[in-house]
């Protein structure tokens, strides 16, 4: 019998669904909250805000963090800002317009009801963060400042220089710390979830590895919330921190949580380019830089060759010999040693606004760039014919954010009862492409304002359920399975390091499942991924022992799951015979080279169901999308 998905979208007009839901949902009595435990895995914006909120409400929260402090969560790296429909600029913004822009930005592949709710709670997030002391930029008169971002026609992005993620995370961390001090949240640092424990069809706990001692430990709860971020590191080189992984999400997938839209991977246009073969990660330069920076490559191939050889510098090429297009790298016009870079030049803006104004907007980003490349983008390089040329940045696209993730319903619950997924690790709000500055918005919306309501609708059934002992056979079996898998990885004793296999995975993914995808390339990529799994299973070498701290073992576990994740991305990209958002099939494009959607055949969420074995192809389950108030049309940003 074919499986179906119940999205649990409330009845009524889209603009009233969330209000009506909250008015009629079941609640947990304050005294009963004291008897209920909730596990939250992850301490980024989504995890920290959820753990703090649930603790404040009276639940007992167990919060797990792979780092030594929640402040090291990768949310800290977000730069550009956070969207909200406050309309402080009086430029016509509204909840509806933010909702519409988000659905349009996602190429009409997001669930309408979820996105409207996201836009609706966005304003509350700003008030919450200001109350926490987040130092948002302000106008001269003291009002919170907004900037334009991500192709929107209004200025709705709140920011704290180029450190917005860091400041928001510190706000969430302060709330979390308060609950830790109050005894409502127990924080487990340097722990990693290795499996979810299912009892009578419900998620009732996890198996976690103490990353310092190497020991496996069992934890029981009434519900489990996963907030572990995205799967961008499947591609090895990405803007994600090296510790970011998809193990918690993939283990949930193996235990029955369907995985939705994995092919929707965002490739960010402004990253510091790859400079060699020994790099372990890439660094994001905020998209906000493109408000004042111009992208260019040389018009003349000989100039490009000289730049690649290092015999010429960008500022030596006059304005008339510059071509303001990114795609020219494919024709050999790239400007660094790999040929995979373009210039992002601030000369024109500096001349128009002055270096002080530009540094006020992007100073910390300029400093970060100089720290990494030894080039200061605000430094005057030369003057020719009365024109001042400043040193430009080099940028190139890189894997950044992932819109796909664990399938969740309107309540943020997965297909496993009692297992919830929030933030980037669920699929719910961005469709096929995330609108700029909406990642932070979704993480905090889920953690502060959505999950604290929806999880009660589930927990209300469990108010009288007793705490389960971790001595139950289901816990023992899950721990035994993790132990057996660790023993398997340690016993392979092959000749290849984790990183060498992961780099190979990255090459396969970038070449065959990267920016431009084709049927033949994806089929070839899937074959290569299956071969790579065999190589991993027979030739992996993990040094050391499973006792104590073993970073290579932890990386091996992550890599096992990245290989399965890579296949999921490829299967989804292969089945989706259209181009939309972050998924571009070269067979499906307009004469102008734009993405060509097929709404007749692919207007649905594609959720993948695990078939009991990593080597078996997953099964596709479709959730049809139904739009009530938005007319689906071709995206056009030229107007």
């Amino acid at each position: 019998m074919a499986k179906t998905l119940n999205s649990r979208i409330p009845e009524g007009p889209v603009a009233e669904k969330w209000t009506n839901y909250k008015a009629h949902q079941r609640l947990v009595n304050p005294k009963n909250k004291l008897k209920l435990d909730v596990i939250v895995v992850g301490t980024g914006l989504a995890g920290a805000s959820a753990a703090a909120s649930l603790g404040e409400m009276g639940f007992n929260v167990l919060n797990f963090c792979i780092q030594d402090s929640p402040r090291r969560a990768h949310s800290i790296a977000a730069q550009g800002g956070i969207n909200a429909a406050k309309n402080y600029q009086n430029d016509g913004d509204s909840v509806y317009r933010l909702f519409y822009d988000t659905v349009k930005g996602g190429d009409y592949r997001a669930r309408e009801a979820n996105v409207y709710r996201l836009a609706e709670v966005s304003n509350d997030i700003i008030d919450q963060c200001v109350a926490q002391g987040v130092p948002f930029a302000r106008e001269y008169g003291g009002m919170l400042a907004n900037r334009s971002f991500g192709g929107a026609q209004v200025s709705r992005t709140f920011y704290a220089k180029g450190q917005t993620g860091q400041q928001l995370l510190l706000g969430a961390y302060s709330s979390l710390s308060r609950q830790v001090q109050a005894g409502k949240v127990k924080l487990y640092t340097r722990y990693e979830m290795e499996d979810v424990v299912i009892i009578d069809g419900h998620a009732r706990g996890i198996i976690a590895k103490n990353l310092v001692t190497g020991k496996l430990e069992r934890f029981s709860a009434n519900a489990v919330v996963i907030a572990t971020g995205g799967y961008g590191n499947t591609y090895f080189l990405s803007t994600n921190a090296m510790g970011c992984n998809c193990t918690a999400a993939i283990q949930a997938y193996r235990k029955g949580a369907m995985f939705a839209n994995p092919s929707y991977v965002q490739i960010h246009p402004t990253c510091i380019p790859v400079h060699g073969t020994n790099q372990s990660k890439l660094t994001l330069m905020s998209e906000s830089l493109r408000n004042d920076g111009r992208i260019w490559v040389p018009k003349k191939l000989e100039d490009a060759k000289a730049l690649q050889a290092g015999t010429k510098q960008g500022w030596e090429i006059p304005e008339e010999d510059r071509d303001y297009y990114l795609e020219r790298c494919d024709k050999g016009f790239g400007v660094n040693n790999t040929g995979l870079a373009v210039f992002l030049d601030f000369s024109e803006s500096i001349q128009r606004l002055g270096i002080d104004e530009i540094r006020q907007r992007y100073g910390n980003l300029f400093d970060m760039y100089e720290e990494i490349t030894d080039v200061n983008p605000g430094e005057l390089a030369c003057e020719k014919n009365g024109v001042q040329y400043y040193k430009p940045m080099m940028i190139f696209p890189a894997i950044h954010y992932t819109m796909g993730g664990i399938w969740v319903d309107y309540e943020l619950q997965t297909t496993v009862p009692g297992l919830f997924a929030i933030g980037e690790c669920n699929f719910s709000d961005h469709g096929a492409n995330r609108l700029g500055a909406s990642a932070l918005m979704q993480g905090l919306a889920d953690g502060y304002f959505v999950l604290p309501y929806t999880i009660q609708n589930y927990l209300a059934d469990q108010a009288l359920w007793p705490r389960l002992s971790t001595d139950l056979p289901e816990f023992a079996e899950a721990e035994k399975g993790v132990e057996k898998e660790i023993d398997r990885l340690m016993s392979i004793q092959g000749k290849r390091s984790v990183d060498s296999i992961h780099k190979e995975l990255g090459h396969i993914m970038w070449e065959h499942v990267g920016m431009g995808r084709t049927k033949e390339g994806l089929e070839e990529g899937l074959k290569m991924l299956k071969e790579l799994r065999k190589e991993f299973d027979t030739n992996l070498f993990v040094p050391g022992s499973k006792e104590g701290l073993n970073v290579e073992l932890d990386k091996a576990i992550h890599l096992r799951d990245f290989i399965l994740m890579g296949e999921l991305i490829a299967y989804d990209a292969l089945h989706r015979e259209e181009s939309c958002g972050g998924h571009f099939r070269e067979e499906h494009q307009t004469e102008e080279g734009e993405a060509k959607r097929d709404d007749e055949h692919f207007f649905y969420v594609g959720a993948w169901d695990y078939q009991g074995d990593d080597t078996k192809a997953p099964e596709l389950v479709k959730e049809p999308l139904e739009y009530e108030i938005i007319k689906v049309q071709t995206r056009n940003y030229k107007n």
Side-chain angles (χ1 to χ4, degrees):
M1 183 179 162
K3 290 192 177 179
T4 56
L5 292 165
N6 179 6
S7 57
R8 289 197 181 91
I9 296 171
E11 297 293 324
V14 169
E16 297 172 18
K17 287 183 189 296
W18 183 231
T19 303
N20 290 341
Y21 175 89
K22 289 187 292 182
H24 297 99
Q25 68 164 104
R26 291 169 300 170
L27 299 172
V28 179
N29 177 285
K31 293 291 184 192
N32 283 335
K33 284 176 185 164
L34 303 177
K35 304 173 190 169
L36 294 171
D37 305 324
V38 180
I39 286 171
V40 178
V41 185
T43 55
L45 281 183
S49 59
S53 300
L54 293 170
E56 182 79 45
M57 292 164 71
F59 294 105
N60 306 304
V61 181
L62 292 75
N63 195 196
F64 293 83
C65 169
I66 63 169
Q67 309 283 9
D68 55 355
S69 165
R71 288 174 300 174
R72 291 184 184 273
H74 188 60
S75 304
I76 204 168
Q79 298 165 354
I82 177 169
N83 287 331
K86 286 284 196 185
N87 195 31
Y88 284 160
Q89 310 300 304
N90 203 25
D91 55 2
D93 203 8
S94 65
V95 167
Y96 178 84
R97 195 175 288 277
L98 175 54
F99 154 67
Y100 176 81
D101 285 352
T102 306
V103 173
K104 177 186 174 187
D107 223 351
Y108 306 96
R109 291 292 179 265
R111 194 190 283 150
E112 208 181 46
N114 285 62
V115 180
Y116 196 94
R117 176 177 64 188
L118 175 66
E120 206 175 335
V121 305
S122 67
N123 293 338
D124 296 333
I125 296 169
I126 304 304
D127 297 340
Q128 170 98 353
C129 294
V130 169
Q132 290 170 341
V134 173
F136 286 122
R138 292 181 181 265
E139 303 287 6
Y140 179 75
M143 288 288 285
L144 295 181
N146 288 127
R147 60 185 174 201
S148 165
F149 209 83
Q153 291 182 304
V154 295
S155 294
R156 64 161 67 100
T157 303
F158 294 78
Y159 62 98
K161 285 195 173 178
Q163 309 165 356
T164 316
Q166 181 182 22
Q167 298 302 332
L168 291 172
L169 186 64
L170 288 173
Y173 175 66
S174 67
S175 294
L176 177 63
S177 297
R178 182 170 175 271
Q179 295 308 313
V180 172
Q181 182 67 28
K184 292 309 296 177
V185 175
K186 186 156 188 194
L187 188 61
Y188 294 86
T189 57
R190 304 302 305 275
Y191 274 76
E192 180 155 43
M193 173 184 147
E194 301 293 348
D195 203 1
V196 60
V197 179
I198 313 290
I199 298 177
D200 295 331
H202 292 255
R204 293 303 306 269
I206 65 169
I207 305 297
K209 181 170 182 256
N210 182 321
L211 298 177
V212 178
T213 66
K215 287 192 174 128
L216 297 176
E217 298 181 27
R218 308 171 186 180
F219 298 91
S220 160
N222 296 86
V224 177
V225 181
I226 301 178
T228 51
Y231 48 90
N233 275 353
T234 304
Y235 289 77
F236 187 68
L237 284 180
S238 81
T239 65
N240 291 193
M242 287 176 66
C244 294
N245 65 83
C246 63
T247 288
I250 284 293
Q251 284 297 82
Y253 165 68
R254 287 192 181 103
K255 282 294 179 77
M258 291 192 203
F259 209 101
N261 298 340
S263 64
Y264 294 160
V265 175
Q266 185 181 53
I267 296 175
H268 200 287
T270 49
C271 299
I272 297 180
V274 177
H275 58 70
T277 56
N278 296 320
Q279 230 169 318
S280 55
K281 80 174 294 294
L282 297 171
T283 303
L284 173 70
M285 289 282 102
S286 170
E287 188 183 342
S288 63
L289 290 163
R290 293 193 295 160
N291 284 335
D292 289 299
R294 299 183 73 193
I295 288 173
W296 66 273
V297 295
K299 283 181 179 174
K300 299 174 183 171
L301 194 56
E302 58 264 31
D303 282 343
K305 297 291 182 196
L307 288 167
Q308 290 165 16
T311 57
K312 188 176 265 192
Q313 300 296 330
W315 54 85
E316 296 177 298
I317 298 171
E319 181 71 27
E320 60 269 20
D321 289 336
R322 299 179 175 190
D323 197 358
Y324 289 90
Y325 288 97
L326 174 64
E327 290 80 5
R328 302 264 292 171
C329 284
D330 296 339
K331 298 182 174 69
F333 286 81
V335 298
N336 74 344
N337 60 325
T338 65
L340 299 175
V342 298
F343 287 124
L344 184 64
D345 202 318
F346 296 87
S347 296
E348 188 271 332
S349 291
I350 291 171
Q351 289 172 53
R352 178 167 50 88
L353 300 168
I355 184 62
D356 289 344
E357 176 66 23
I358 294 299
R359 283 206 68 86
Q360 190 177 336
R361 294 179 184 183
Y362 312 113
N364 70 303
L365 296 170
F366 282 17
D367 293 343
M368 189 194 306
Y369 186 86
E370 184 176 12
E371 201 67 39
I372 294 169
T373 66
D374 206 27
V375 171
N376 178 0
E379 186 181 327
L380 181 65
C382 66
E383 188 170 329
K384 285 185 184 175
N385 302 322
V387 178
Q388 291 182 323
Y389 292 93
Y390 289 80
K391 292 183 178 179
M393 286 183 176
M394 286 187 194
I395 58 158
F396 199 67
I399 297 293
H400 178 47
Y401 187 91
T402 53
M403 285 73 64
I406 301 172
W407 184 91
V408 292
D409 60 22
Y410 187 76
E411 297 185 339
L412 304 183
Q413 189 168 210
T414 70
T415 46
V416 175
L419 181 64
F420 295 78
I422 60 175
E424 189 182 357
C425 80
N426 77 28
F427 88 102
S428 69
D429 293 357
H430 304 300
N433 204 21
R434 177 182 61 90
L435 202 66
S438 284
L440 304 182
M441 177 173 66
Q442 188 217 340
L444 291 180
D446 285 357
Y448 281 138
F449 297 109
V450 180
L451 183 79
Y453 285 100
T454 62
I455 199 169
Q456 288 190 77
N457 213 35
Y458 172 75
L459 290 173
D461 281 343
Q462 301 194 45
L464 301 175
W465 287 18
R467 286 198 173 105
L468 294 182
S469 166
T470 55
D471 293 330
L472 287 169
E474 289 87 348
F475 278 94
E477 189 183 340
E479 184 183 328
K480 192 173 161 189
V482 175
E483 191 84 54
K484 185 178 173 187
E485 181 63 7
I486 287 172
D487 289 339
R488 179 183 79 86
L489 296 175
M490 295 299 301
S491 67
I492 295 171
Q493 291 294 299
K495 294 194 167 84
R496 292 190 60 179
S497 69
V498 175
D499 279 355
S500 75
I501 300 176
H502 197 169
K503 278 183 185 177
E504 190 177 334
L505 171 64
H507 283 300
I508 295 169
M509 294 302 295
W510 184 256
E511 292 300 321
H512 299 280
V513 202
M515 279 200 282
R517 300 162 174 175
T518 64
K519 184 173 187 289
E520 294 75 19
L522 290 165
E523 287 172 344
E524 178 64 22
L526 273 166
K527 277 187 206 161
M528 294 172 80
L529 288 169
K530 290 179 192 308
E531 287 301 315
L532 190 67
R533 176 180 284 113
K534 286 181 194 165
E535 177 72 0
F536 175 86
D537 286 340
T538 58
N539 205 12
L540 173 74
F541 175 69
V542 179
S545 72
K546 67 178 181 179
E547 284 80 29
L549 178 71
N550 189 337
V551 176
E552 289 301 306
L553 171 58
D554 298 328
K555 280 159 60 177
I557 293 168
H558 300 161
L559 179 55
R560 172 201 68 189
D561 300 328
F562 280 135
I563 293 171
L564 181 59
M565 189 69 240
E567 287 187 345
L568 262 177
I569 299 169
Y571 277 121
D572 193 46
L574 184 61
H575 109 272
R576 194 166 277 279
E577 292 273 358
E578 65 166 353
S579 292
C580 59
H583 167 63
F584 190 79
R585 282 285 295 268
E586 292 178 12
E587 305 96 327
H588 304 286
Q589 54 181 304
T590 65
E591 290 179 6
E592 294 179 327
E594 298 290 333
K596 192 175 181 181
R597 289 198 325 263
D598 182 352
D599 295 329
E600 186 183 347
H601 298 104
F602 293 97
F603 191 51
Y604 58 77
V605 172
W608 295 90
D609 189 30
Y610 188 66
Q611 297 302 296
D613 190 307
D614 285 9
T615 60
K616 289 182 182 173
E619 202 171 275
L620 178 65
V621 182
K622 300 174 184 178
E623 179 205 336
L625 290 168
E626 295 174 10
Y627 284 7
E628 297 172 30
I629 59 174
I630 281 187
K631 183 184 172 189
V632 179
Q633 53 195 344
T634 303
R635 281 198 308 172
N636 181 4
Y637 288 106
K638 293 177 181 175
N639 296 337

